[in-house]
């Protein structure tokens, strides 16, 4: 089942690559069909998922490189399943969003997109460290191509910056993985969760993993690749980047750092809190001054991900569940916001905030949808953003009041830059002919937003089923994260 | 669906229908749908009021559905309807219905009516969620929900730059308050492990909670004081109290029915409601009660002084609202919660009346709001004049009208509290009473008396249509009789379990027995204020100008509302922009990217240098090999 959901998109990509000659239309329909099928398979997994169990489910194992202890091992639990679903949901939306805006090398684009989906789902399902690492790196290639080929003016610089930043972090992660595997005698992730490493070794391993995860999240100060990547990426690339790729870093903390290296994770709490708080306040202030719509949302992503990392390292149920939920929320909301930017960019070919103004007069439907996502981003009760932020802040408050107080200022600042942006873009009088000539959203465009809007309100009013999916796994994670592994029998560095 | 749930949801249905299908339905039908929803809600609210408040029904508690569950943390959407809620239901649903009807006339020429009515009903839904909630989180849901509706409605005419800015300001200042409110909720959860009213209040009453908690660098602090002060920060934002009041006058950019409903009768009173609802907590902290009293008293005085010199008819009423909210807060602060709610109720009637009458004046003057351009209107619009006069008399405490009962109850309670803060509040409240009468009659005299200042608009002035005058008359009846009918509310125990009083907090009880001069001195204040207003604006209309010229600095100080806007701009807005720009252009672009690009450049330079080693000359390589061999030999010998 998991192999199916992982490799179905890749098969689709291969089919398009070999079978489709010229027809852009055929490539589009094949890609959409594949991604929808993948989504259906992911729903089937959700259907069979037992949320009462904390164990990995849908396990698959096959010998791969037994000489090195490397196995093909897949499985999902309540922590990874939400991300599999999110990826499977966002990909068809992205493909539909690229329907008209991508006109050059459509075939290559669709192939890259499906390959990306395949690798990302694989990352969330992999339970073998080497398999994880390979997919983690493989995913960089299609993303690099998406930005580098279908991006904006400065795309090459942005693509390289993205690639080198993330690759730089990955090198240290690879070393950490190899050390962990050889010292622990296995690359199996569930097995490693039970293996005690000494405190000193844990600290080094944590730093190794951290350097890769922190870039992906991205945490301050290694966030500067994100605004550039977003600005240059095509709309759908931004959606996937914000919606899924950023989640991989935080997922890494949850899947590896907390359960495998609990002592080091606890040791680094103040450090993570510090960086996250700087991220929240710093990037919110920076977002306040942005002139480019996409850059503003990119900076807001950094700020929101700061909340997530605080939640994860609060080490309590509310914080971690809030963190996971907020990752899903952020995927939905920032995905929606980037799509909205894309809608207007397709019409006006600019993202400069000052060039808009009065758009609501010409595009009332657009304005309403924009308002909903803005409010979700601001964390208004009744939207998904509230549930996530509230649980995170509650968890943080129980863990460390000062952290919660500083983080909560993000609520004020977040409202400031979002409302300011909303006003500049949608309100006011129509000043330019370009705005006066705008057409409201087409049916295809509206359809794109419906699943996201449903999620915004559903999670906002009835988050129980989403949280229930995570309960058991998070409870178990907390037990693991609170055990002291670094005893006398622990495996030391030398 | 129970009828209680329908009270809350009927406006939401109306709002959704008008919002989604407004274009199909057209202006008339869309507004009628929302009015229908409101009428259902109001009718059921009245029935509920008779059951619970007039009859002797028990409080209703219903769980509707489970909202958030995470570990031990669980919150539900639920309904709690006791006497406190029943009063609020009448006020919110009743006045909202009247204002919906009024808006049909007031907004008749606006092309965006479905959107307007949809927002207005959405607001009512959120406000009803706020007052019917059975937990602090549902209170917060409504609390922020009304904030959203307020933002949308202030910015309803979004073509106007000033309206958009006012909307953002309202949202942000409220967010600052909500920041404190949220921290208060977190502390409640930390202390009581639940956000459910019933459990929290029960545990607070029996003292089953840690008496101190650590808070930041203050170390251990009194638990209740911390919780209540944090909650009160939220109330200060929502109810526009001193320090966080700056958004309310600007909110007048919204259409006038909005000012009447949201920024006078209902939303801004949410803070007062919250303090009363949380009386089992506030009663346990003398410090918090003192702070509430002092802030309320300062607001009552401060806003009244600013109201003296405003020339925009709506701004006068806005500052008046701010001031009256201050009265309600200091009433709550001296444990006279019932007086606070009583005044909340009467104020809702006469202030909505005043705003809507002002709207009728503005409507008749073709959207002129500057009182200096009015004058003599009483002959042109006699009905509006009459109802506005009733509202003014009710506000200023003319005997046997609404304000006479409720404001006097507050002042008597403050006097009877016999505490320093109570006496402070009483003193400022008495001065405020003079000022209130003065600015209220200044408004009446400038608008309706004297000679018309602008003959063109005077000649075109006309009485408003019946769809507007009807609601005004209903409200006028309320302003006349709400005080008389509602006075029993202030008797001990009327609110039953909804309001808790700690032993010894008996200001309200003593208030009924204060000496006659205390009871009648507010009326004296009324006479003084009226006399001064008459002197300055009827007898000698040239005098105000002379005084303003003589005390220019003071006049400017008041006209600019004590310069709070300028202060906040310099203190917060400008620095935030500067820091943001600095962090972006220096922090991100120069330092972080500088390092990143620097590392890249460094790699490139090293690569260049390494490349220069590979010269291709055999003797270079041979030389290098020789050195290598020598080094290895010397190491391993």
């Amino acid at each position: 089942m998991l192999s199916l959901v992982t490799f179905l998109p890749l098969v689709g990509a291969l089919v398009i690559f070999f079978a489709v000659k010229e027809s852009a239309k055929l490539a589009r329909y094949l890609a959409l069909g594949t991604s929808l099928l993948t989504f259906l398979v992911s729903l089937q997994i959700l259907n069979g998922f037992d949320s009462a169990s904390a164990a990995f489910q849908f396990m698959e194992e096959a010998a791969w490189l037994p000489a090195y202890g490397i196995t093909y091992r897949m499985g999902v639990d309540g922590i990874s399943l939400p991300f599999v679903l999110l990826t499977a949901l966002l990909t068809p939306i992205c493909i539909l969003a690229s329907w008209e805006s991508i006109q050059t090398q459509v075939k290559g684009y669709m192939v890259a997109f499906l390959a990306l989906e395949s690798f990302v789902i694989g990352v969330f399902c992999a339970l073998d460290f080497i398999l994880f690492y390979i997919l983690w790196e493989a995913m960089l290639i299609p993303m690099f191509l998406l930005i580098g080929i279908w991006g904006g003016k400065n795309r090459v610089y942005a693509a390289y910056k993205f690639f080198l930043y993330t690759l730089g972090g990955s090198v240290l992660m690879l070393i950490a993985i190899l050390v962990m595997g050889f010292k622990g005698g296995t690359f199996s992730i569930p097995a490693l969760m039970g293996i005690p490493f000494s405190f000193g070794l844990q600290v080094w391993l944590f730093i190794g993993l951290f350097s890769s995860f922190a870039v992906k999240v991205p945490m301050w100060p290694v966030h500067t690749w994100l605004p550039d990547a977003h600005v240059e990426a095509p709309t759908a690339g931004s959606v996937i980047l914000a919606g899924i790729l950023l989640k991989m870093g935080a997922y890494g903390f949850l899947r590896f750092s907390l359960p495998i290296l609990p002592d080091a994770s606890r040791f680094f709490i103040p450090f993570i809190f510090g960086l996250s708080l700087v991220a929240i306040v710093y990037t919110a202030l920076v977002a306040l001054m942005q002139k480019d719509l996409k850059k503003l949302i990119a900076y807001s992503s950094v700020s929101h991900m700061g909340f997530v990392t605080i939640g994860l390292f609060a080490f309590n149920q509310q914080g971690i569940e809030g963190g996971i939920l907020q990752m899903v929320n952020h995927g939905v909301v920032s995905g929606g916001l980037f799509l909205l930017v894309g809608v207007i960019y397709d019409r006006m070919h600019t993202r400069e905030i000052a060039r808009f103004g009065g758009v609501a007069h010409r595009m009332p439907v657009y304005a309403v949808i924009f308002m909903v996502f803005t409010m979700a981003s601001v964390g208004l009760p009744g939207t998904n953003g509230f549930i996530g932020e509230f649980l995170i802040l509650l968890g943080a408050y129980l863990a460390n009041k000062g952290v919660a107080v500083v983080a909560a200022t993000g609520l004020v600042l977040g409202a400031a830059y979002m409302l300011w942006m909303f006003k500049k873009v949608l309100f006011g009088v129509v000043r330019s002919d370009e705005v006066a000539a705008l057409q409201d959203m087409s049916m295809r465009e509206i359809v794109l937003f419906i699943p996201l809007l449903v999620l915004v309100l559903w999670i906002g009013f009835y988050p129980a089923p989403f949280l229930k999916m995570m309960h058991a796994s998070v409870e178990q994670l907390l037990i693991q994260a609170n055990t002291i592994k670094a005893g006398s029998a622990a495996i030391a560095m030398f | 669906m129970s009828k209680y749930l329908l009270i809350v949801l009927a406006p939401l249905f109306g709002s959704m229908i008008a919002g989604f299908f407004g274009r199909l339905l057209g202006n008339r039908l869309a507004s009628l749908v929302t009015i229908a929803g409101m009428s259902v809600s109001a009718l059921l609210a009245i029935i509920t009021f008779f059951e619970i408040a007039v009859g002797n029904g028990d409080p209703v508690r219903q769980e509707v559905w489970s909202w958030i569950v995470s570990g031990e943390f669980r919150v539900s959407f639920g309904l709690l309807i006791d006497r406190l809620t029943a009063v609020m239901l009448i006020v919110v649903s009743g006045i909202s219905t009247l204002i919906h009807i009024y808006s049909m006339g007031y907004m008749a020429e606006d092309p965006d009516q479905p959107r307007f009515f949809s927002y207005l009903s959405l607001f009512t839904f959120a406000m009803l969620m706020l007052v019917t909630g059975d937990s602090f989180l549902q209170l917060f849901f409504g609390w922020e929900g009304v904030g959203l509706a307020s933002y949308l409605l202030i910015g309803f005419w979004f073509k106007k730059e000033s309206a958009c800015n006012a909307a953002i300001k309202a949202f942000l200042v409220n967010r600052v308050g909500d920041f404190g409110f949220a921290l208060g909720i977190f502390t409640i959860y930390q202390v009581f492990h639940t956000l459910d009213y019933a459990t929290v209040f029960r545990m607070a009453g029996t003292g089953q909670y840690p008496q101190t908690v650590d808070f930041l660098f203050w170390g251990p602090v009194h638990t209740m004081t911390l919780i209540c002060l944090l909650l009160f920060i939220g109330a200060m934002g929502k109810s526009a109290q001193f320090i966080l009041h700056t958004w309310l006058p600007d909110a007048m950019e919204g259409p006038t029915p909005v000012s009447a409903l949201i920024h006078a009768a209902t939303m801004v009173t949410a803070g007062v409601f919250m303090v009363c609802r949380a009386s089992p907590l506030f009663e346990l902290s003398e410090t918090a009660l003192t702070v509430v009293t002092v802030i309320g008293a300062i607001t009552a005085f401060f806003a009244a002084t600013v109201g003296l010199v405003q020339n925009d008819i709506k701004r006068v009423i806005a500052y008046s609202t701010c001031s009256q909210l201050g009265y309600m807060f200091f009433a709550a602060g001296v444990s006279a919660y019932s007086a606070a709610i009583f005044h909340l109720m009467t104020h809702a009637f006469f202030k909505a009346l005043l705003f809507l009458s002002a709207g009728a004046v503005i409507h008749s003057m073709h959207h002129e709001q500057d009182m200096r351009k009015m004058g003599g209107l009483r002959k042109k619009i006699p009905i509006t004049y009459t109802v506005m006069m009733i509202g003014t008399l009710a506000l200023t405490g003319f005997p046997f009208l609404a304000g006479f009962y409720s404001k006097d109850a507050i002042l008597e309670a403050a006097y009877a509290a016999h505490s320093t803060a109570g006496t402070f509040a009483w003193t400022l409240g008495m001065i405020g009473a003079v000022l209130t009468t003065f600015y209220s009659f200044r408004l009446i005299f400038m608008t309706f008396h004297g000679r018309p200042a602008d003959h063109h608009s005077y000649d075109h002035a006309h009485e408003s249509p019946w769809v507007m005058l009807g609601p005004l008359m209903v409200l006028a009846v309320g302003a006349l009789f709400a005080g008389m009918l509602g006075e029993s509310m202030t008797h001990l125990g009327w609110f039953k379990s909804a309001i808790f009083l700690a032993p010894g907090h008996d200001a309200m009880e003593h208030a009924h027995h204060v000496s006659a001069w205390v009871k009648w001195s507010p009326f004296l204040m009324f006479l003084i204020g009226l006399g001064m207003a008459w002197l300055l604006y009827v007898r000698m209309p040239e005098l105000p100008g002379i005084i303003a010229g003589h005390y220019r600095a003071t006049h400017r100080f008041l006209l600019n509302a004590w310069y709070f806007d300028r202060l906040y701009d310099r203190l917060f807005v400008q620095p935030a922009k500067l820091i943001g720009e600095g962090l972006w252009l220096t922090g991100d672009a120069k330092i972080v990217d500088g390092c990143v690009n620097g590392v890249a450049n460094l790699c490139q330079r090293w690569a260049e240098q390494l490349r220069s080693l590979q010269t291709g000359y055999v003797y270079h390589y041979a030389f290098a090999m020789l050195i290598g061999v020598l080094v290895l030999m010397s190491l391993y010998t």
Side-chain angles (χ1 to χ4, degrees), chain A residues 9 52 82 122 213 243 255 465:
Chain A
F213 298 155
R255 177 58 75 233

Side-chain angles (χ1 to χ4, degrees), chain A residues 161 165 221 223-224 282 285 289-290 299 318 321 361 364 378 381 397 401 405 411 423 428 460-461 463 471, chain B residues 23 65 67 69-70 137 144 158-159 161 165 175 179 187 190 214 216 580-581 583-584 587-588 592-593 596:
Chain A
K161 203 170 174 182
Y165 243 118
H223 64 281
T224 60
Y282 178 113
L285 286 169
M289 297 311 292
Q290 293 308 307
Y299 274 111
Q318 291 81 22
E321 287 185 5
H361 293 286
V378 168
Y397 193 82
K401 290 200 177 73
V405 170
L411 298 180
K423 175 200 135 187
F461 279 95
H471 283 321
Chain B
R23 272 190 241 172
W65 82 77
W67 187 16
V69 181
S70 172
L137 204 64
E144 289 244 301
F158 58 81
K159 266 183 211 167
E161 176 86 11
N165 289 338
R175 266 278 154 133
F179 165 83
T187 316
Q190 191 202 10
D214 284 323
L216 305 184
E581 184 135 330
L583 290 177
W584 176 34
D588 264 26
V592 179
D593 272 357
V596 174

Side-chain angles (χ1 to χ4, degrees), chain B residues 283-295:
Chain B
E283 280 294 290
L284 300 178
S285 167
E286 295 296 336
T287 318
L289 285 176
T290 307
V291 171
V292 174
T293 312
V294 170
I295 293 280

Side-chain angles (χ1 to χ4, degrees), chain B residues 33 64 86 116 145 194 197 244 290 402 471 474 489 544 547 560 573:
Chain B
V33 165
V64 182
F116 180 80
T194 177
Y197 287 148
L244 293 181
T290 307
V474 177
M489 211 183 266
I547 297 173
N560 287 297
V573 181

Side-chain angles (χ1 to χ4, degrees), chain B residues 392-467:
Chain B
T392 301
L393 290 171
L395 166 65
T396 52
F398 187 77
F400 312 115
L401 267 60
F404 172 76
Y405 294 95
S406 57
K407 194 157 66 171
D408 286 13
I410 287 176
L411 288 168
E412 284 156 21
Y415 178 83
H418 294 300
S419 62
T420 318
T423 311
F424 173 74
W426 181 76
T427 314
L428 288 186
M430 291 301 267
I431 301 171
V434 179
L435 303 178
T436 306
T437 317
F438 179 82
Y439 67 65
S440 300
F441 278 98
R442 172 176 175 267
L443 186 154
I444 293 280
F445 293 148
M446 282 178 83
T447 312
F448 293 102
H449 292 249
R451 262 178 242 104
D454 181 342
H455 278 283
H456 177 74
S457 38
Y458 177 82
D459 291 340
H460 287 85
H462 55 86
E463 194 67 271
S464 299
W466 280 104
V467 69

